[in-house]
Amino acid sequence: MNVSVCYITKNEEKNIEKSLASIKAAADEIVVVDTGSQDKTKAIAASYGAKVYDYEWQDDFSAARNYAIGLAAGDYILFMDADEYVAAESCRNLRRVLERNQTHAALLMKRYDIDKDEADILGEIFVLRAFKRQENLRYQGRIHEELRADGNVIEDLAVADPKELILYHTGYEAAVNKSKAERNLRILRQELAETDHPGRLYMYLAEACRGVGDMAQMEHYARLDIAQGRRTVAFASRSYRLLLAALAEQERAEERRQLAQKAVEDFPELPEFWAEFAACQSEVYDYAAAIHAMEKALQCDKDYPAVSLEPREFDEAMRGLAQAKLAEWSELCQKAGALRISACIIAKNEAAELRDWLKQAAVFSDEIIFVDTGSIDDTAAIAAQAGAKVFAFSWRNDFAAARNFALEKVSADCDWVVFLDADETFYAPERVRGCLAFLQRNHPGTEGVQVPIVNVDTDACGREIQRFRALRIWRPHPSRRYRGAVHEALYAGQGEIRQGYIESLAVRHTGYSAGRIQQKLTRNLRLIVQEMQEQGEKPLHYRYLADCLYGLHEYELAIAYARRAIAAGVETVAGDGELYRLWLHCLRALDKSSEEQLAVIDKAQAAGINDIELLGWQGIIKTELARYKEAGPLLEQFIQRASVSDLSAGSNAVSGLLPDVYSALGLCSMRQDAAGAAACYQQALRLNPYHEETLARLYEGGRQAPAECLNQVLSFFPDQQQARKFLADWAVRFGYGRIVRLLAAELPVNQQHLLELMENGQLPQAGEKAQLEAGIYIQELFAALVSLPADKRQLQAVDCRQWAAMLPAPLERVIARLYGWQEQLLPEDFSGYMTGLSAMQGFVGDGPYEEYAGLAFDFSWEQVQEVATALTRRRKWQAAYSLWAGVPADSVGDGAAFWYHTGICLYYLEEFAAAQECLERAADAGCTEPDLPAYQKWLQCREEQA
């Protein structure tokens, strides 16, 4: 067997000699293809007997390698990089290893990456370096080229035993690496624009972006690579490793935990991924899961095969740390089990949701203290069945009194109290015990725990509205009691409750859903007014009134009370800036000028209020005014303060404002730094991928092709299918035709047809179809407003008015009458009423027809009968009958049609005796309807059978 050793080189005089010297004894020939060296590379190669060929570099590593293969004469080819060498023992074994594996097309060899001084091993990987010289074996890919067999992945592979054959790689110097990364990134992007298989490049793109310091793009490509699933290439786990390291550095704990979980699913043999997952589980206080994962890591390390395409990075130091962590977590598990936890709740008429609350409380508590404040449903019974200790409390419009009553019932041996509302549940209740055990072991002075309260709108598919921090867990003490009839808060007898904040114990709060919040606010408003009447008007009432009125969309009144509270010097738990923030939000809701909004912020700052959220809004508003030079520093200051500040005191919306701030900062940066602007937009979307304005800015300001931009944006969404539908709708509304084409399959069929007409140049037909579609949308909106239940209309009054305003004027007037916004329909509104009746067909059930039918009494009796006839023909029997029954005797005319239609309605309403009488009257009046005899016969048969 003849062996050809091949190289491609350029300016490698520092490395080539060591490599040539290490392999010369095993080579029958050495082929060096030089791509433009200006140093002594070629001379050194020639001195070792190499055949040196010049080659014009084409930014294509595969082309250069394949040129070298064409020059080689050996039976087997060993392709080396200039910064690789083999140990003396490996050189002596090379020919024997190749001969033993000559039935295989190619051979994988283990390579150790070592530092410049060759003192430390930085990593290890199996690489394909040796293969048969065959016409069908050629490299593909401009960079990170892969050897393929007729263009396909090589299946016939052997793996060299590392005890016999290994490579060393020394090419790790910071300056060299950055230069290589920049070159690689340039070539990779060129290939990405040309290739039909971009998935092969994502891992390499992530690596190159990391090399040049572009962490946002690194994450983008790493996520794209991971989304493909495990690929059958050496070191396929690289994207996981890059991204896990970045998430840990950026303290994005939950994303890191989710990624670690996916990593162990895709690479279950890697001990370091199990160790990573164990560490993530311990950070959310799930010590049992952490112990299981770490034990799995140690077992995988023990069972790790001698030959694997995936390098193992679990070293001796990690083994020692794993054992120490197992001991620590076992201790915490024992402490968690020994804790006594009381879950407390006050509730009234919460039967609909209580079972979920009780089920969750049972996960972490030893007793449930349930205080019922006057339920008339099954609330108390449900609690008792679940094993709760149920107590009755006579409600006296005082939340603090009810809560304190519950605290009096807590067992004397209780270690911690968890007090949640009925509409509050932990996202991960299994973490509570572990968290409290951790605090007792590592922070014994902590007396209370603040947790994130995540307000979600269950009427909008669980969309997060905002989040804030609140005290929900504390050590019980007789002096710790609530104060305040409304907006009650826990106080210590003396001093303050020493509190910590646990981000991973997030609580889901549904009480601010659109369908509930106004009920709560209306109730709170009533209680506040009652308290004012009983105790007298106090400055703190102004603050509560401002808050309630803002939630009820009474923005002008809310501003008035906020200003009174400010003038009175009211102090709030959320900080001095809260009232100014409320004032600002009211102005924005009222669409007041940017100057007026900035003036409120100026007033706050003049009052000595250094509020983080107001700072962010100041930057956003100045961005809206295109005052970018002023806005940029404010936005950057906001981001800096938000990253280092304890947000438990102050604004409850800072984290929610971050996407808007990053988006505004991107707009400020766009003119001077397009790459920096893109990074800001990406961070905004990472925090909130549904931020439509940011999506538009990224797309319009970027230099990416539409397909690449779409792939990047999709990586920010947890649910890809839902994301594609959302983005398709967004692209249609924003007029981004090229994105729409890429997502055409996600559009409704009618929109797909419209797009097809436009792309085929059939613009007149497209225009006609678009006009028809507009009519359909109007029909759907009208039907939706008619179908909306009465209680939802009241709770969403502002939205309903806005939706109704989108309708044509005649239909808007009908909705206004239906919703009680106007007293009566006029004669000229009849055509609009009948149009609305037609619009309802196929979109609403029977119930809404009955309410809609009642509006017909605003018109003449002749028109009432016209509506009743239309409803009868549509088989809306109850709605139709309600109109026939309301027509006075002197308005029925000859009676034939009246009695016939009334009888038919009664027949289907199963009022058979009345139906028979009406149909007899119809016949007596000369009714000529062809099916009248049939109905009479059916009724006669029923009577005989009875």
Side-chain angles (χ1 to χ4, degrees):
M1 172 188 289
N2 290 327
V3 178
S4 296
V5 179
C6 298
Y7 294 86
I8 58 173
T9 61
K10 182 180 179 181
N11 297 330
E12 292 284 359
E13 66 179 7
K14 293 181 180 180
N15 299 311
I16 190 70
E17 186 165 10
K18 186 177 183 70
S19 183
L20 289 166
S22 75
I23 201 63
K24 186 178 186 304
D28 293 295
E29 72 169 348
I30 299 173
V31 175
V32 174
V33 172
D34 191 82
T35 61
S37 292
Q38 301 297 314
D39 62 3
K40 299 176 182 178
T41 299
K42 292 193 291 183
I44 294 170
S47 72
Y48 278 83
K51 300 174 183 178
V52 181
Y53 301 90
D54 290 319
Y55 179 81
E56 186 178 348
W57 180 242
Q58 301 169 28
D59 269 358
D60 190 329
F61 281 91
S62 285
R65 285 184 181 270
N66 291 333
Y67 178 71
I69 292 172
L71 297 170
D75 303 306
Y76 235 91
I77 293 172
L78 175 65
F79 221 123
M80 302 267 288
D81 288 346
D83 53 7
E84 294 175 339
Y85 68 91
V86 297
E89 187 66 25
S90 292
C91 183
R92 286 191 292 270
N93 294 336
L94 176 64
R95 191 177 297 274
R96 183 171 65 254
V97 173
L98 293 179
E99 288 175 348
R100 188 190 310 141
N101 292 284
Q102 61 182 311
T103 57
H104 300 285
L107 182 71
L108 290 168
M109 304 166 61
K110 175 163 278 192
R111 188 185 77 182
Y112 290 103
D113 299 322
I114 58 179
D115 64 9
K116 182 180 178 182
D117 300 323
E118 303 183 17
D120 293 318
I121 294 177
L122 305 176
E124 59 184 63
I125 185 175
F126 275 92
V127 292
L128 198 162
R129 287 290 184 266
F131 53 93
K132 286 183 177 180
R133 186 173 63 83
Q134 296 178 171
E135 287 297 324
N136 70 326
L137 293 180
R138 289 296 184 269
Y139 285 95
Q140 288 187 352
R142 286 179 173 271
I143 194 167
H144 292 291
E145 58 282 5
E146 297 174 1
L147 191 70
R148 296 296 180 93
D150 295 319
N152 300 313
V153 174
I154 299 174
E155 301 289 345
D156 185 19
L157 284 173
V159 181
D161 188 337
K163 295 178 181 178
E164 293 185 290
L165 191 61
I166 56 174
L167 285 173
Y168 291 104
H169 176 224
T170 62
Y172 283 92
E173 295 181 49
V176 173
N177 287 344
K178 191 170 191 303
S179 176
K180 281 186 177 181
E182 290 170 347
R183 176 203 65 189
N184 293 356
L185 189 56
R186 173 175 53 81
I187 299 173
L188 283 165
R189 282 176 171 162
Q190 183 179 349
E191 185 171 0
L192 185 65
E194 300 169 353
T195 185
D196 293 328
H197 304 286
R200 186 190 76 84
L201 304 175
Y202 293 150
M203 179 171 68
Y204 303 123
L205 281 161
E207 208 165 34
C209 288
R210 191 275 307 270
V212 301
D214 189 344
M215 300 306 286
Q217 284 293 88
M218 180 282 292
E219 179 171 344
H220 165 59
Y221 288 115
R223 289 193 183 278
L224 289 178
D225 182 40
I226 288 167
Q228 299 179 107
R230 181 170 182 169
R231 297 196 301 126
T232 55
V233 296
F235 206 2
S237 62
R238 268 177 285 185
S239 290
Y240 272 112
R241 297 176 192 267
L242 290 172
L243 190 49
L244 282 168
L247 294 176
E249 184 179 338
Q250 297 169 25
E251 298 182 351
R252 292 157 61 184
E254 183 56 28
E255 291 176 77
R256 178 187 170 208
R257 190 182 70 84
Q258 291 175 6
L259 184 63
Q261 183 170 9
K262 182 167 173 53
V264 297
E265 292 169 0
D266 283 354
F267 297 89
E269 78 276 23
L270 287 176
E272 55 266 35
F273 280 176
W274 282 105
E276 181 91 6
F277 186 47
C280 291
Q281 293 293 79
S282 74
E283 289 178 2
V284 294
Y285 313 104
D286 192 346
Y287 298 116
I291 290 170
H292 171 76
M294 192 61 85
E295 288 175 342
K296 185 75 174 176
L298 291 169
Q299 188 62 46
C300 287
D301 179 52
K302 181 179 178 182
D303 298 340
Y304 201 76
V307 175
S308 172
L309 292 181
E310 286 299 322
R312 174 178 52 174
E313 297 179 353
F314 198 76
D315 57 20
E316 193 60 38
M318 294 178 70
R319 294 182 192 102
L321 180 61
Q323 295 292 352
K325 285 296 180 183
L326 283 174
E328 177 186 332
W329 297 337
S330 295
E331 179 189 348
L332 285 165
C333 274
Q334 292 176 358
K335 287 185 177 294
L339 290 177
R340 295 287 297 171
I341 301 174
S342 295
C344 296
I345 180 175
I346 61 170
K348 178 181 179 180
N349 297 331
E350 295 287 356
E353 294 188 345
L354 187 58
R355 286 184 175 86
D356 285 341
W357 191 100
L358 291 164
K359 184 178 179 180
Q360 277 217 356
V363 172
F364 60 83
S365 67
D366 298 285
E367 69 173 356
I368 297 175
I369 304 299
F370 188 93
V371 172
D372 187 84
T373 60
S375 296
I376 58 174
D377 62 3
D378 295 332
T379 294
I382 292 169
Q385 290 169 5
K389 298 177 181 178
V390 179
F391 302 93
F393 179 79
S394 180
W395 179 246
R396 50 179 183 265
N397 292 333
D398 189 328
F399 282 96
R403 288 182 179 272
N404 291 334
F405 179 79
L407 292 178
E408 295 294 338
K409 305 301 179 181
V410 170
S411 298
D413 62 348
C414 174
D415 295 304
W416 293 90
V417 169
V418 179
F419 214 132
L420 299 178
D421 291 340
D423 54 11
E424 293 180 338
T425 50
F426 288 108
Y427 281 97
E430 68 279 2
R431 298 176 182 175
V432 174
R433 280 190 168 273
C435 167
L436 298 180
F438 173 84
L439 289 176
Q440 288 201 181
R441 178 183 186 271
N442 299 301
H443 303 280
T446 301
E447 298 171 325
V449 179
Q450 293 186 19
V451 297
I453 308 295
V454 184
N455 294 326
V456 298
D457 189 346
T458 56
D459 298 320
C461 302
R463 178 180 62 86
E464 180 177 333
I465 304 169
Q466 63 169 188
R467 60 176 61 200
F468 62 97
R469 300 181 178 188
L471 179 65
R472 290 292 186 269
I473 306 171
W474 63 89
R475 289 179 178 274
H477 191 276
S479 70
R480 290 173 190 148
R481 291 295 182 264
Y482 283 94
R483 301 177 195 168
V486 185
H487 297 286
E488 66 282 6
L490 190 74
Y491 290 85
Q494 293 181 343
E496 296 182 353
I497 302 172
R498 289 173 291 180
Q499 302 176 33
Y501 172 66
I502 305 296
E503 186 174 10
S504 60
L505 288 186
V507 169
R508 181 175 184 265
H509 178 220
T510 60
Y512 281 170
S513 298
R516 305 179 184 185
I517 183 59
Q518 291 198 338
Q519 288 177 337
K520 276 192 168 184
L521 291 171
T522 302
R523 177 203 65 190
N524 288 353
L525 185 62
R526 175 175 51 79
L527 291 175
I528 293 166
V529 171
Q530 180 179 334
E531 187 175 284
M532 290 170 66
Q533 292 171 343
E534 294 174 352
Q535 302 178 13
E537 189 172 301
K538 298 177 181 177
L540 194 59
H541 291 135
Y542 304 151
R543 181 259 175 273
Y544 294 150
L545 284 169
D547 191 47
C548 285
L549 291 165
Y550 171 72
L552 293 167
H553 308 297
E554 297 288 352
Y555 300 120
E556 296 284 6
L557 278 173
I559 290 173
Y561 278 106
R563 295 182 70 173
R564 292 180 71 178
I566 290 170
V570 171
E571 295 184 4
T572 66
V573 174
D576 294 339
E578 183 176 13
L579 292 164
Y580 286 96
R581 292 192 298 272
L582 186 146
W583 186 356
L584 173 64
H585 292 315
C586 288
L587 292 177
R588 291 184 71 81
L590 291 167
D591 201 23
K592 298 295 184 180
S593 70
S594 298
E595 287 76 9
E596 191 172 348
Q597 295 174 36
L598 288 173
V600 171
I601 298 174
D602 290 341
K603 290 178 187 296
Q605 292 173 344
I609 294 172
N610 186 19
D611 184 83
I612 300 177
E613 187 186 341
L614 290 177
L615 175 68
W617 279 114
Q618 189 176 27
I620 291 170
I621 296 166
K622 290 192 175 184
T623 303
E624 293 169 351
L625 291 170
R627 290 158 59 176
Y628 303 122
K629 288 184 178 179
E630 299 175 42
L634 295 171
L635 297 167
E636 290 174 350
Q637 187 183 349
F638 172 90
I639 292 170
Q640 177 63 24
R641 288 182 60 187
S643 66
V644 301
S645 298
D646 177 9
L647 304 182
S648 60
S651 171
N652 62 8
V654 169
S655 58
L657 191 59
L658 272 168
D660 299 87
V661 168
Y662 273 110
S663 184
L665 185 58
L667 196 58
C668 293
S669 306
M670 179 57 70
R671 287 150 187 82
Q672 291 80 29
D673 181 9
C680 287
Y681 296 146
Q682 290 160 15
Q683 180 61 17
L685 294 174
R686 192 171 293 114
L687 295 166
N688 177 15
Y690 295 94
H691 201 287
E692 294 188 344
E693 197 171 66
T694 303
L695 289 167
R697 290 171 179 173
L698 178 64
Y699 179 57
E700 292 176 2
R703 290 170 289 185
Q704 296 172 302
E708 187 177 357
C709 182
L710 178 60
N711 284 335
Q712 181 185 63
V713 166
L714 281 168
S715 69
F716 298 124
F717 290 85
D719 185 329
Q720 294 292 295
Q721 187 57 40
Q722 183 185 38
R724 294 179 71 86
K725 292 184 179 297
F726 166 77
L727 290 170
D729 178 66
W730 164 79
V732 168
R733 288 185 287 104
F734 277 69
Y736 297 137
R738 290 188 290 176
I739 296 288
V740 172
R741 292 186 188 95
L742 294 172
L743 295 169
E746 309 300 334
L747 297 173
V749 174
N750 56 345
Q751 290 187 21
Q752 291 184 36
H753 186 211
L754 180 61
L755 181 63
E756 184 179 340
L757 290 173
M758 295 175 66
E759 291 189 334
N760 292 336
Q762 298 173 272
L763 297 183
Q765 296 92 326
E768 292 176 7
K769 183 171 179 59
Q771 188 173 7
L772 176 62
E773 296 296 338
I776 293 173
Y777 293 143
I778 289 172
Q779 181 181 3
E780 291 176 342
L781 176 58
F782 182 83
L785 286 169
V786 170
S787 301
L788 193 67
D791 59 336
K792 292 291 182 73
R793 297 173 191 172
Q794 307 232 341
L795 294 173
Q796 301 181 33
V798 174
D799 292 332
C800 290
R801 285 184 181 272
Q802 293 174 347
W803 294 329
M806 298 178 188
L807 296 169
L811 293 179
E812 183 184 3
R813 289 195 293 273
V814 173
I815 293 297
R817 174 68 177 91
L818 187 70
Y819 280 43
W821 302 335
Q822 70 180 52
E823 293 184 2
Q824 187 169 355
L825 292 171
L826 301 175
E828 55 266 29
D829 291 323
F830 185 71
S831 61
Y833 176 88
M834 293 302 290
T835 300
L837 189 62
S838 299
M840 293 164 62
Q841 191 165 0
F843 288 99
V844 302
D846 290 345
Y849 275 100
E850 296 178 38
E851 182 185 19
Y852 194 83
L855 303 185
F857 289 116
D858 286 357
F859 304 114
S860 68
W861 291 115
E862 182 182 356
Q863 290 169 321
V864 169
Q865 293 183 73
E866 183 179 342
V867 175
T869 302
L871 289 169
T872 305
R873 288 171 179 162
R874 292 185 192 177
R875 306 177 70 82
K876 306 301 178 186
W877 310 117
Q878 187 63 57
Y881 178 71
S882 68
L883 295 184
W884 292 120
V887 177
D890 59 359
S891 297
V892 299
D894 62 16
F898 173 85
W899 291 114
Y900 168 76
H901 287 303
T902 304
I904 297 301
C905 289
L906 288 168
Y907 175 85
Y908 284 105
L909 293 173
E910 299 186 2
E911 298 287 344
F912 300 120
Q916 186 171 12
E917 180 182 348
C918 289
L919 293 177
E920 287 173 358
R921 290 193 180 191
D924 293 343
C927 177
T928 58
E929 292 288 344
D931 57 357
L932 175 61
Y935 277 110
Q936 289 181 303
K937 181 67 175 175
W938 295 338
L939 287 166
Q940 183 180 349
C941 290
R942 281 182 173 277
E943 186 176 0
E944 291 172 356
Q945 291 172 359

